[in-house]
Amino acid sequence: MSPDDQKATSCRETYQGDTVLAGLLTKHGARLDVAGVRALLDGVLAAPPAEHAHAWHAMVCAAPSPALAAQLEALKADLAARVSFGLAEGAWRPARVADLRAELVGKGLAGFVLPRGDEHQGEYVSPRNERLAWLTGFTGSAGACAVLTEKAAIFIDGRYTLQVRAQVDGGIFEYRHLVDEPLHEWLAANAPTGGRIGYDPWLHGSDGVERLRAACESAGAELVALDANPIDAIWPGQPAAPLSPMVPHDLRYAGKASGEKRAELAADLRKRKLDAAVISAPDSLAWLLNVRGGDVPHTPLALGFAILSADEPGTVDLFVDERKIPPETRAHLGNAVNLRPPAAFAGALAALGARKARVSTDRLTAAAWIDRTLTQAGAATTRDICPCALPKARKNPVEIAGARAAHVRDGAAMAKFLAFLAREAPSGELDEIAAADRLLEFRRAGENFRDTSFDTISGAGANGAIVHYRATPSTSKRLAPGMLYLVDSGGQYLEGTTDVTRTLAIGAPSAEQKDRFTRVLKGHIALARVRFPKGTSGSQLDALARAPLWDAGLDYDHGTGHGVGSFLSVHEGPQRISKLPNAQALLPGMIVSNEPGYYKTGEYGIRIENLVAVSELPPQPGEERPMLGLETLTLAPIARELIDVGLLTDGERAWLDAYHARVHATIGPLVDAQTRAWLDGACAPLEG
């Protein structure tokens, strides 16, 4: 290696100092100076790692040279080595709860309620908003806690009943069910008379606040909105707000121009005699403006707020950190989108109130702070479903075609992974983390892959019974003969979002395991084959998936299906398939999951999940009403070795054989010879 090559390599590996970086920034006409880059990196390091690790460079310079890119990465590495958010496994300490209590006493508060969420009431949040995890150690995607002077409780749903006991100190927190034993009921029974109970109005919706307020009043206590979250005052090293570039989402994937979407929604606002709508859901923002980002894990979102005007072009005021907007995106947004700093959001809401505007806010994602600010300023608010929600959920033909393409690509990755497991799992040398890592490798090899759509659930044996289990070094089991292995995973592709669960037998399954698996499969097939009239909701279909389990006195504690976005959130409303009442009809273009399951605590878990698209069906002779059906999008073999063929009807067998024939015909030509040979057997017609 020449001295010049050695110097270049060294420059790429080590930070050469602020003076060198300053010269490079000036030379390239960068948007930021050195201090600006350092401040930017606080947010970059607080955002999840991007699949394209250098994407953040666009926030500094449009086209950095290799030398500038190397110095940016070297500085990032130097700063990352010093970062500690306190969120790593094993980092939790009881002193955090004691520190919170001391902070509350100093503010004259008798307690504090804390949900798991952010200013957008989102499921996936940035590290800065992982306050519940930092305070309690619980890392699930849904939950809340209440901390009083003498007692505390944590609230989780049925997915996390096992996980919460493994992560949260039962000597400090009572374990409560989020639905059956909700937070507001606990407060009504435990809030001290005369006590002031604080809450962060950015982290609760208005409906939730009213329930908490009524509970406190019934106990003789007072619910108090706080100007600052007390967790932020006691969290050393709390991450900054995340920063990732907002990028255009190409029309070939979006299927409809942003201007067209804005005009249609503005016309609808005028029809409803509304002046504006506050867009508080980041996935709605992404869909409306045809942009994507990387501020939160697994979902390509740029966090921010917007106000959509009812004027004829559908003008939008967009409140985001301007550092997120590279020149390309500024050009993409166009003149009808006014870029404004986040600090201007409160003033913009007040201005709507000052002119007595009629404003729609999203009852699911708008923070209580937004509703309160508008109302106090004089606006007439209508709390309703986000105007973007339904058109976003009803995928256009381009998005449906993209979903099909993404599932073909994802199916090839799944086939390679399942074939790999068939070869390697019986050895007992493969653990849950290694298996999930290998699946990620197969997905990464596919075109247009951008991220997993959630943390892969890789559960062997008893861990498979933990519905939203996440393997860690301390919990990861080896896959071994005699176990069932459940893997629930998905990918984010430019064309669409995938989510698939398969359950496999390592070695010979027991008769009970085959019975339970087959009942889950029968429910899955019943939903996949259903024909239903227009106007039917998912709640009306849910029992179809559960009936075979109910016949044996069995059930599962999660919903049967959730909506899925188009290169957006893997959990999307307003549609769902669930026991819980839901008036939203399933409409053509919606994508939902079909995922019945069964879980035997301490032993094994079973789930079979495909994504399906709601579609119009051709009329059959004698039908009097238009009918809809569910097109199965996911393409991955279902474990034949776990099926008790005698429990299947002829129609169920025919469905499964046809599904496997389609998987084989579509995926077979896309995989290597070794995988194709495995696929031949995995997709063969059922025998017996």
Side-chain angles (χ1 to χ4, degrees):
M1 181 182 294
S2 70
D4 287 345
D5 288 339
Q6 290 176 341
K7 182 177 179 181
T9 300
S10 175
C11 181
R12 290 174 185 274
E13 293 177 350
T14 61
Y15 184 54
Q16 302 298 301
D18 288 359
T19 301
V20 171
L21 179 59
L24 289 168
L25 293 171
T26 300
K27 179 179 178 180
H28 289 79
R31 304 167 71 193
L32 302 173
D33 58 14
V34 173
V37 171
R38 287 181 172 273
L40 179 76
L41 278 168
D42 288 341
V44 171
L45 293 171
E51 189 66 20
H52 296 291
H54 297 173
W56 70 276
H57 296 180
M59 294 188 287
V60 177
C61 178
S65 67
L68 176 55
Q71 283 302 287
L72 291 173
E73 287 301 314
L75 177 57
K76 178 184 174 185
D78 277 5
L79 296 178
R82 304 184 205 127
V83 169
S84 176
F85 296 154
L87 293 169
E89 182 184 8
W92 181 83
R93 297 290 182 270
R96 295 177 180 178
V97 181
D99 289 345
L100 174 60
R101 285 181 167 137
E103 180 71 15
L104 297 178
V105 169
K107 294 183 177 299
L109 297 170
F112 180 65
V113 291
L114 176 68
R116 195 266 183 186
D118 62 6
E119 297 87 347
H120 311 275
Q121 323 307 306
E123 176 183 6
Y124 291 106
V125 302
S126 70
R128 178 176 182 79
N129 287 291
E130 289 284 11
R131 297 180 181 93
L132 185 66
W134 183 86
L135 180 66
T136 69
F138 175 66
T139 60
S141 64
C145 77
V147 177
L148 305 179
T149 306
E150 301 296 334
K151 60 174 59 177
I154 187 163
F155 303 81
I156 48 82
D157 62 29
R159 297 170 295 175
Y160 298 114
T161 52
L162 299 180
Q163 180 177 331
V164 72
R165 284 165 171 76
Q167 292 183 323
V168 178
D169 187 339
I172 297 177
F173 291 93
E174 299 175 27
Y175 305 129
R176 311 281 291 192
H177 194 285
L178 193 63
V179 177
D180 299 337
E181 307 166 302
L183 191 158
H184 65 274
E185 290 184 2
W186 187 88
L187 270 183
N190 292 280
T193 301
R196 301 170 71 245
I197 308 300
Y199 76 99
D200 184 341
W202 277 107
L203 303 184
H204 300 259
S206 294
D207 289 344
V209 168
E210 289 312 307
R211 284 192 294 270
L212 295 176
R213 191 181 310 283
C216 287
E217 289 175 355
S218 72
E222 178 188 4
L223 187 69
V224 180
L226 304 179
D227 293 331
N229 193 304
I231 301 295
D232 301 352
I234 63 171
W235 184 351
Q238 183 184 25
L243 286 172
S244 67
M246 178 186 283
V247 298
H249 187 51
D250 198 281
L251 189 60
R252 60 180 164 156
Y253 305 124
K256 180 180 283 191
S258 173
E260 187 177 354
K261 294 177 182 179
R262 297 195 307 268
E264 289 177 356
L265 295 190
D268 184 63
L269 292 178
R270 294 194 298 273
K271 182 179 178 181
R272 295 163 56 196
K273 301 189 184 306
L274 293 167
D275 299 303
V278 176
I279 309 300
S280 50
D283 59 335
S284 290
L285 194 66
W287 175 86
L288 179 64
L289 301 180
N290 285 348
V291 294
R292 299 294 188 266
D295 285 347
V296 298
H298 307 302
T299 310
L301 304 177
L303 299 181
F305 296 93
I307 298 174
L308 171 66
S309 171
D311 63 17
E312 189 167 344
T315 302
V316 168
D317 287 335
L318 174 61
F319 301 88
V320 297
D321 190 320
E322 191 171 0
R323 291 175 294 178
K324 295 181 183 181
I325 314 294
E328 176 192 16
T329 306
R330 175 68 271 185
H332 163 80
L333 293 172
N335 295 331
V337 177
N338 304 313
L339 189 61
R340 304 184 65 183
F345 186 45
L349 296 181
L352 287 171
R355 63 184 180 95
K356 307 300 181 186
R358 291 176 50 84
V359 183
S360 172
T361 64
D362 183 0
R363 56 183 169 81
L364 297 178
T365 68
W369 181 92
I370 293 174
D371 289 328
R372 186 183 66 178
T373 301
L374 283 166
T375 301
Q376 290 179 348
T381 59
T382 300
R383 295 176 55 250
D384 202 348
I385 188 171
C386 175
C388 301
L390 202 53
K392 171 168 58 70
R394 298 191 67 178
K395 311 298 182 286
N396 62 51
V398 170
E399 290 171 317
I400 290 292
R404 294 187 185 114
H407 279 87
V408 169
R409 196 170 297 121
D410 205 61
M414 281 296 296
K416 294 172 186 176
F417 173 68
L418 295 173
F420 161 79
L421 283 181
R423 297 190 304 269
E424 300 296 329
S427 71
E429 297 299 315
L430 190 68
D431 70 13
E432 295 166 343
I433 293 176
D437 289 345
R438 193 59 184 269
L439 176 53
L440 177 57
E441 290 178 17
F442 288 126
R443 280 200 169 101
R444 274 186 171 145
E447 185 182 1
N448 290 342
F449 176 78
R450 289 297 179 267
D451 195 359
T452 53
S453 54
F454 53 95
D455 287 320
T456 295
I457 298 169
S458 177
N463 287 342
I466 304 173
V467 177
H468 273 204
Y469 170 73
R470 181 180 179 185
T472 67
S474 64
T475 65
S476 183
K477 289 181 179 290
R478 290 186 181 275
L479 282 60
M483 286 184 173
L484 293 191
Y485 172 62
L486 185 153
V487 57
D488 185 348
S489 67
Q492 291 284 12
Y493 301 86
L494 290 177
E495 296 95 337
T497 301
T498 70
D499 182 2
V500 51
T501 307
R502 290 295 182 264
T503 306
L504 314 169
I506 312 300
S510 70
E512 177 188 282
Q513 290 170 342
K514 293 181 68 172
D515 175 88
R516 303 304 191 254
F517 182 90
T518 308
R519 291 180 185 278
V520 171
L521 176 60
K522 287 169 71 71
H524 180 95
I525 294 173
L527 199 55
R529 297 172 64 194
V530 67
R531 297 171 63 90
F532 55 94
K534 289 184 177 180
T536 301
S537 73
S539 298
Q540 294 171 289
L541 300 181
D542 181 79
L544 293 172
R546 298 179 189 270
L549 289 163
W550 288 350
D551 284 342
L554 308 170
D555 202 0
Y556 50 94
D557 290 333
H558 57 76
T560 301
H562 54 84
V564 178
S566 179
F567 187 40
L568 279 173
S569 176
V570 75
H571 292 151
E572 177 182 83
Q575 75 277 18
R576 65 173 182 263
I577 302 173
S578 171
K579 286 181 181 179
L580 297 175
N582 179 22
Q584 176 59 58
L586 295 175
L587 300 171
M590 288 179 170
I591 295 176
V592 292
S593 64
N594 173 3
E595 51 177 311
Y598 171 76
Y599 310 92
K600 189 170 185 178
T601 301
E603 296 194 29
Y604 61 85
I606 294 167
R607 188 159 64 251
I608 304 170
E609 178 185 17
N610 287 344
L611 297 191
V612 296
V614 182
S615 57
E616 296 182 349
L617 295 179
Q620 293 186 353
E623 285 186 350
E624 297 179 353
R625 299 186 181 187
M627 303 297 284
L628 302 177
L630 301 173
E631 173 195 350
T632 296
L633 300 172
T634 305
L635 297 168
I638 295 170
R640 296 168 73 255
E641 69 276 9
L642 273 166
I643 299 173
D644 182 345
V645 179
L647 288 178
L648 297 181
T649 65
D650 290 344
E652 290 165 344
R653 290 185 58 171
W655 182 92
L656 187 63
D657 285 345
Y659 175 72
H660 277 152
R662 179 180 161 219
V663 171
H664 189 276
T666 306
I667 302 301
L670 306 178
V671 296
D672 57 277
Q674 190 176 28
T675 300
R676 192 158 52 249
W678 172 84
L679 205 59
D680 290 343
C683 293
L686 291 176
E687 300 175 356

Short mmCIF file of all heavy atoms in Angstrom, two decimals, residues 550-586:
data_model
loop_
_atom_site.label_atom_id
_atom_site.label_comp_id
_atom_site.label_asym_id
_atom_site.label_seq_id
_atom_site.Cartn_x
_atom_site.Cartn_y
_atom_site.Cartn_z
N TRP A 550 -62.49 -22.87 19.34
CA TRP A 550 -63.60 -22.88 20.29
C TRP A 550 -64.21 -24.28 20.41
O TRP A 550 -64.66 -24.68 21.50
CB TRP A 550 -64.68 -21.89 19.85
CG TRP A 550 -64.29 -20.44 20.03
CD1 TRP A 550 -63.20 -19.95 20.69
CD2 TRP A 550 -65.01 -19.31 19.55
NE1 TRP A 550 -63.19 -18.58 20.65
CE2 TRP A 550 -64.29 -18.15 19.95
CE3 TRP A 550 -66.18 -19.14 18.81
CZ2 TRP A 550 -64.71 -16.86 19.64
CZ3 TRP A 550 -66.61 -17.86 18.50
CH2 TRP A 550 -65.88 -16.73 18.92
N ASP A 551 -64.24 -25.02 19.31
CA ASP A 551 -64.80 -26.38 19.35
C ASP A 551 -64.09 -27.26 20.36
O ASP A 551 -64.67 -28.20 20.90
CB ASP A 551 -64.70 -27.03 17.96
CG ASP A 551 -65.73 -26.50 16.98
OD1 ASP A 551 -66.72 -25.89 17.44
OD2 ASP A 551 -65.54 -26.68 15.77
N ALA A 552 -62.81 -26.95 20.63
CA ALA A 552 -62.02 -27.73 21.59
C ALA A 552 -61.84 -26.98 22.91
O ALA A 552 -61.00 -27.37 23.73
CB ALA A 552 -60.66 -28.06 20.98
N GLY A 553 -62.60 -25.89 23.12
CA GLY A 553 -62.48 -25.13 24.36
C GLY A 553 -61.22 -24.30 24.42
O GLY A 553 -60.69 -24.04 25.52
N LEU A 554 -60.73 -23.82 23.27
CA LEU A 554 -59.47 -23.08 23.19
C LEU A 554 -59.71 -21.72 22.57
O LEU A 554 -60.74 -21.47 21.95
CB LEU A 554 -58.45 -23.86 22.35
CG LEU A 554 -58.22 -25.32 22.74
CD1 LEU A 554 -57.38 -26.03 21.68
CD2 LEU A 554 -57.55 -25.42 24.11
N ASP A 555 -58.75 -20.82 22.71
CA ASP A 555 -58.86 -19.48 22.12
C ASP A 555 -57.49 -18.83 22.16
O ASP A 555 -56.51 -19.43 22.64
CB ASP A 555 -59.88 -18.63 22.88
CG ASP A 555 -60.44 -17.46 22.06
OD1 ASP A 555 -60.04 -17.30 20.89
OD2 ASP A 555 -61.27 -16.72 22.60
N TYR A 556 -57.40 -17.60 21.67
CA TYR A 556 -56.17 -16.79 21.78
C TYR A 556 -56.57 -15.38 22.15
O TYR A 556 -57.71 -14.95 21.93
CB TYR A 556 -55.38 -16.82 20.47
CG TYR A 556 -56.15 -16.51 19.22
CD1 TYR A 556 -56.21 -15.22 18.69
CD2 TYR A 556 -56.83 -17.51 18.54
CE1 TYR A 556 -56.92 -14.93 17.54
CE2 TYR A 556 -57.56 -17.24 17.38
CZ TYR A 556 -57.59 -15.96 16.88
OH TYR A 556 -58.29 -15.67 15.74
N ASP A 557 -55.62 -14.65 22.77
CA ASP A 557 -55.94 -13.37 23.40
C ASP A 557 -55.56 -12.14 22.57
O ASP A 557 -55.55 -11.03 23.10
CB ASP A 557 -55.24 -13.27 24.76
CG ASP A 557 -55.85 -14.21 25.79
OD1 ASP A 557 -57.04 -14.53 25.65
OD2 ASP A 557 -55.14 -14.62 26.71
N HIS A 558 -55.26 -12.32 21.30
CA HIS A 558 -54.95 -11.16 20.47
C HIS A 558 -55.95 -11.08 19.32
O HIS A 558 -56.74 -12.01 19.10
CB HIS A 558 -53.51 -11.21 19.93
CG HIS A 558 -53.19 -12.47 19.15
ND1 HIS A 558 -53.62 -12.68 17.85
CD2 HIS A 558 -52.47 -13.56 19.48
CE1 HIS A 558 -53.17 -13.84 17.42
NE2 HIS A 558 -52.47 -14.41 18.40
N GLY A 559 -55.92 -9.97 18.61
CA GLY A 559 -56.78 -9.83 17.45
C GLY A 559 -56.39 -10.79 16.35
O GLY A 559 -55.26 -11.31 16.30
N THR A 560 -57.31 -11.03 15.44
CA THR A 560 -57.05 -11.93 14.31
C THR A 560 -56.40 -11.20 13.14
O THR A 560 -55.69 -11.82 12.35
CB THR A 560 -58.36 -12.59 13.86
OG1 THR A 560 -58.91 -13.32 14.97
CG2 THR A 560 -58.16 -13.53 12.69
N GLY A 561 -56.62 -9.90 13.03
CA GLY A 561 -56.05 -9.20 11.90
C GLY A 561 -55.93 -7.71 12.12
O GLY A 561 -56.81 -7.09 12.73
N HIS A 562 -54.86 -7.13 11.64
CA HIS A 562 -54.63 -5.68 11.70
C HIS A 562 -54.39 -5.16 10.29
O HIS A 562 -53.93 -5.89 9.41
CB HIS A 562 -53.41 -5.36 12.58
CG HIS A 562 -52.16 -6.09 12.18
ND1 HIS A 562 -51.31 -5.65 11.18
CD2 HIS A 562 -51.61 -7.25 12.64
CE1 HIS A 562 -50.30 -6.49 11.04
NE2 HIS A 562 -50.45 -7.48 11.90
N GLY A 563 -54.70 -3.90 10.08
CA GLY A 563 -54.40 -3.28 8.80
C GLY A 563 -52.91 -3.13 8.61
O GLY A 563 -52.13 -3.06 9.58
N VAL A 564 -52.48 -3.05 7.35
CA VAL A 564 -51.06 -2.91 7.00
C VAL A 564 -50.92 -1.81 5.94
O VAL A 564 -51.72 -1.74 5.00
CB VAL A 564 -50.48 -4.24 6.47
CG1 VAL A 564 -49.02 -4.07 6.07
CG2 VAL A 564 -50.62 -5.34 7.53
N GLY A 565 -49.91 -0.98 6.11
CA GLY A 565 -49.69 0.14 5.20
C GLY A 565 -48.91 -0.24 3.96
O GLY A 565 -48.48 -1.38 3.77
N SER A 566 -48.71 0.75 3.09
CA SER A 566 -47.95 0.58 1.86
C SER A 566 -46.60 1.27 2.03
O SER A 566 -46.49 2.48 1.89
CB SER A 566 -48.72 1.20 0.67
OG SER A 566 -47.99 1.05 -0.53
N PHE A 567 -45.57 0.48 2.35
CA PHE A 567 -44.27 1.01 2.77
C PHE A 567 -44.50 2.05 3.85
O PHE A 567 -44.00 3.16 3.82
CB PHE A 567 -43.49 1.59 1.59
CG PHE A 567 -42.06 2.00 1.94
CD1 PHE A 567 -41.28 1.24 2.77
CD2 PHE A 567 -41.52 3.16 1.41
CE1 PHE A 567 -39.98 1.62 3.09
CE2 PHE A 567 -40.23 3.55 1.71
CZ PHE A 567 -39.45 2.79 2.55
N LEU A 568 -45.32 1.62 4.82
CA LEU A 568 -45.64 2.47 5.98
C LEU A 568 -45.77 1.57 7.20
O LEU A 568 -45.04 0.60 7.33
CB LEU A 568 -46.92 3.28 5.72
CG LEU A 568 -46.73 4.55 4.88
CD1 LEU A 568 -48.08 5.18 4.54
CD2 LEU A 568 -45.84 5.56 5.58
N SER A 569 -46.71 1.85 8.06
CA SER A 569 -46.82 1.11 9.31
C SER A 569 -47.34 -0.30 9.09
O SER A 569 -48.30 -0.51 8.34
CB SER A 569 -47.73 1.85 10.28
OG SER A 569 -47.91 1.11 11.46
N VAL A 570 -46.74 -1.26 9.79
CA VAL A 570 -47.22 -2.64 9.71
C VAL A 570 -48.52 -2.81 10.49
O VAL A 570 -49.22 -3.80 10.30
CB VAL A 570 -46.13 -3.61 10.23
CG1 VAL A 570 -46.03 -3.57 11.76
CG2 VAL A 570 -46.36 -5.03 9.73
N HIS A 571 -48.84 -1.85 11.35
CA HIS A 571 -50.14 -1.83 12.05
C HIS A 571 -50.84 -0.54 11.67
O HIS A 571 -50.45 0.54 12.10
CB HIS A 571 -49.94 -1.89 13.57
CG HIS A 571 -49.39 -3.19 14.04
ND1 HIS A 571 -48.61 -3.33 15.17
CD2 HIS A 571 -49.51 -4.44 13.53
CE1 HIS A 571 -48.28 -4.59 15.33
NE2 HIS A 571 -48.81 -5.29 14.35
N GLU A 572 -51.90 -0.67 10.87
CA GLU A 572 -52.58 0.50 10.31
C GLU A 572 -54.08 0.36 10.51
O GLU A 572 -54.64 -0.73 10.33
CB GLU A 572 -52.25 0.62 8.83
CG GLU A 572 -52.95 1.74 8.10
CD GLU A 572 -52.61 1.77 6.61
OE1 GLU A 572 -53.26 1.02 5.85
OE2 GLU A 572 -51.70 2.50 6.23
N GLY A 573 -54.73 1.45 10.88
CA GLY A 573 -56.19 1.46 10.96
C GLY A 573 -56.78 2.15 9.74
O GLY A 573 -56.06 2.53 8.83
N PRO A 574 -58.10 2.30 9.74
CA PRO A 574 -59.04 2.03 10.83
C PRO A 574 -59.57 0.60 10.86
O PRO A 574 -60.30 0.23 11.77
CB PRO A 574 -60.16 3.02 10.55
CG PRO A 574 -60.18 3.14 9.05
CD PRO A 574 -58.74 3.05 8.63
N GLN A 575 -59.24 -0.22 9.87
CA GLN A 575 -59.79 -1.57 9.79
C GLN A 575 -59.02 -2.52 10.70
O GLN A 575 -57.83 -2.35 10.96
CB GLN A 575 -59.75 -2.07 8.35
CG GLN A 575 -58.38 -2.49 7.84
CD GLN A 575 -57.53 -1.34 7.35
OE1 GLN A 575 -57.78 -0.19 7.66
NE2 GLN A 575 -56.50 -1.64 6.57
N ARG A 576 -59.72 -3.55 11.17
CA ARG A 576 -59.07 -4.64 11.89
C ARG A 576 -60.05 -5.82 11.94
O ARG A 576 -61.24 -5.66 11.69
CB ARG A 576 -58.67 -4.23 13.31
CG ARG A 576 -59.81 -3.90 14.24
CD ARG A 576 -59.32 -3.69 15.67
NE ARG A 576 -60.44 -3.42 16.58
CZ ARG A 576 -60.83 -2.22 16.96
NH1 ARG A 576 -60.17 -1.16 16.50
NH2 ARG A 576 -61.84 -2.05 17.78
N ILE A 577 -59.52 -6.99 12.26
CA ILE A 577 -60.34 -8.18 12.48
C ILE A 577 -60.10 -8.60 13.92
O ILE A 577 -59.00 -9.00 14.28
CB ILE A 577 -59.96 -9.31 11.50
CG1 ILE A 577 -60.10 -8.84 10.05
CG2 ILE A 577 -60.81 -10.55 11.74
CD1 ILE A 577 -59.59 -9.83 9.02
N SER A 578 -61.14 -8.46 14.75
CA SER A 578 -60.93 -8.60 16.19
C SER A 578 -62.26 -8.84 16.88
O SER A 578 -63.32 -8.50 16.36
CB SER A 578 -60.28 -7.32 16.74
OG SER A 578 -60.24 -7.31 18.14
N LYS A 579 -62.18 -9.41 18.10
CA LYS A 579 -63.37 -9.50 18.94
C LYS A 579 -63.89 -8.12 19.32
O LYS A 579 -65.08 -7.93 19.53
CB LYS A 579 -63.04 -10.25 20.23
CG LYS A 579 -62.85 -11.75 20.12
CD LYS A 579 -62.58 -12.30 21.51
CE LYS A 579 -62.36 -13.79 21.51
NZ LYS A 579 -62.07 -14.30 22.88
N LEU A 580 -62.96 -7.16 19.44
CA LEU A 580 -63.37 -5.82 19.86
C LEU A 580 -64.27 -5.19 18.81
O LEU A 580 -64.01 -5.30 17.61
CB LEU A 580 -62.13 -4.95 20.08
CG LEU A 580 -61.17 -5.41 21.18
CD1 LEU A 580 -59.93 -4.52 21.20
CD2 LEU A 580 -61.86 -5.40 22.53
N PRO A 581 -65.32 -4.54 19.23
CA PRO A 581 -66.24 -3.91 18.26
C PRO A 581 -65.51 -2.90 17.37
O PRO A 581 -64.67 -2.14 17.84
CB PRO A 581 -67.28 -3.22 19.15
CG PRO A 581 -67.20 -3.94 20.45
CD PRO A 581 -65.78 -4.36 20.62
N ASN A 582 -65.82 -2.95 16.11
CA ASN A 582 -65.22 -2.02 15.15
C ASN A 582 -66.21 -1.82 14.01
O ASN A 582 -66.51 -2.76 13.27
CB ASN A 582 -63.89 -2.57 14.62
CG ASN A 582 -63.24 -1.66 13.61
OD1 ASN A 582 -63.53 -0.47 13.57
ND2 ASN A 582 -62.37 -2.21 12.78
N ALA A 583 -66.73 -0.62 13.88
CA ALA A 583 -67.77 -0.36 12.89
C ALA A 583 -67.22 -0.18 11.49
O ALA A 583 -67.99 -0.17 10.52
CB ALA A 583 -68.56 0.89 13.30
N GLN A 584 -65.90 -0.04 11.33
CA GLN A 584 -65.34 0.21 10.01
C GLN A 584 -65.51 -1.01 9.10
O GLN A 584 -64.97 -2.09 9.38
CB GLN A 584 -63.85 0.57 10.11
CG GLN A 584 -63.16 0.75 8.77
CD GLN A 584 -63.79 1.84 7.92
OE1 GLN A 584 -63.88 2.98 8.36
NE2 GLN A 584 -64.23 1.50 6.73
N ALA A 585 -66.20 -0.84 8.01
CA ALA A 585 -66.37 -1.93 7.06
C ALA A 585 -65.05 -2.20 6.34
O ALA A 585 -64.23 -1.31 6.13
CB ALA A 585 -67.45 -1.57 6.04
N LEU A 586 -64.85 -3.46 5.99
CA LEU A 586 -63.72 -3.82 5.14
C LEU A 586 -64.04 -3.41 3.71
O LEU A 586 -65.09 -3.78 3.17
CB LEU A 586 -63.47 -5.33 5.23
CG LEU A 586 -63.03 -5.84 6.60
CD1 LEU A 586 -62.92 -7.37 6.58
CD2 LEU A 586 -61.71 -5.22 7.02
#
